[in-house]
Amino acid sequence: MSKASASSARMARAVAGLQGRPVVEALVQTSADAEPEVAEAGLETLCTIWRRDGVVGEDLLLKLDPQAQDRVRALGVRVAEPLVSSVHSPAKEQSWSTTCWYSCGYRT
């Protein structure tokens, strides 16, 4: 294992315990860094987090370059639609609202 790989692995393990969208978004940006070692460390850390969680947000996955997207998909994690899109979609909101209304026994 090269010195850069060992350093990347240590950073990935240290950061993997962190949670929260700001941390993950910063790592997504880091994975596009011009320095190959920095970009690799960011992507390796993301893979560690997403492998642990078992899910990756589709919006975050699509921010990665195609090769990195393939690497993340190869982890076998579920790609989830972001919650924000369902909240701001009037059709989905109406559908949920109608379903809830009728399931609660209310009729118009």
Side-chain angles (χ1 to χ4, degrees):
M1 181 181 279
S2 73
K3 193 174 193 178
S5 295
S7 176
S8 294
R10 281 193 304 276
M11 185 172 98
R13 284 190 298 274
V15 176
L18 297 175
Q19 294 181 349
R21 186 160 180 101
V23 171
V24 175
E25 286 179 349
L27 288 167
V28 168
Q29 290 176 353
T30 301
S31 72
D33 197 273
E35 286 291 321
E37 287 108 7
V38 173
E40 175 60 27
L43 183 58
E44 188 172 324
T45 304
L46 286 168
C47 289
T48 301
I49 291 169
W50 290 332
R51 188 180 307 116
R52 179 198 66 209
D53 293 347
V55 63
V56 57
E58 181 182 41
D59 60 325
L60 294 172
L61 181 64
L62 294 176
K63 289 180 182 180
L64 299 174
D65 69 60
Q67 201 171 23
Q69 289 179 24
D70 291 342
R71 183 169 164 186
V72 172
R73 286 187 174 102
L75 297 172
V77 298
R78 184 174 62 88
V79 177
E81 190 175 309
L83 293 175
V84 173
S85 69
S86 65
V87 171
H88 295 292
S89 168
K92 287 183 180 178
E93 201 170 306
Q94 176 62 36
S95 167
W96 177 86
S97 176
T98 302
T99 302
C100 180
W101 186 259
Y102 282 105
S103 68
C104 293
Y106 297 106
R107 305 282 187 261
T108 56

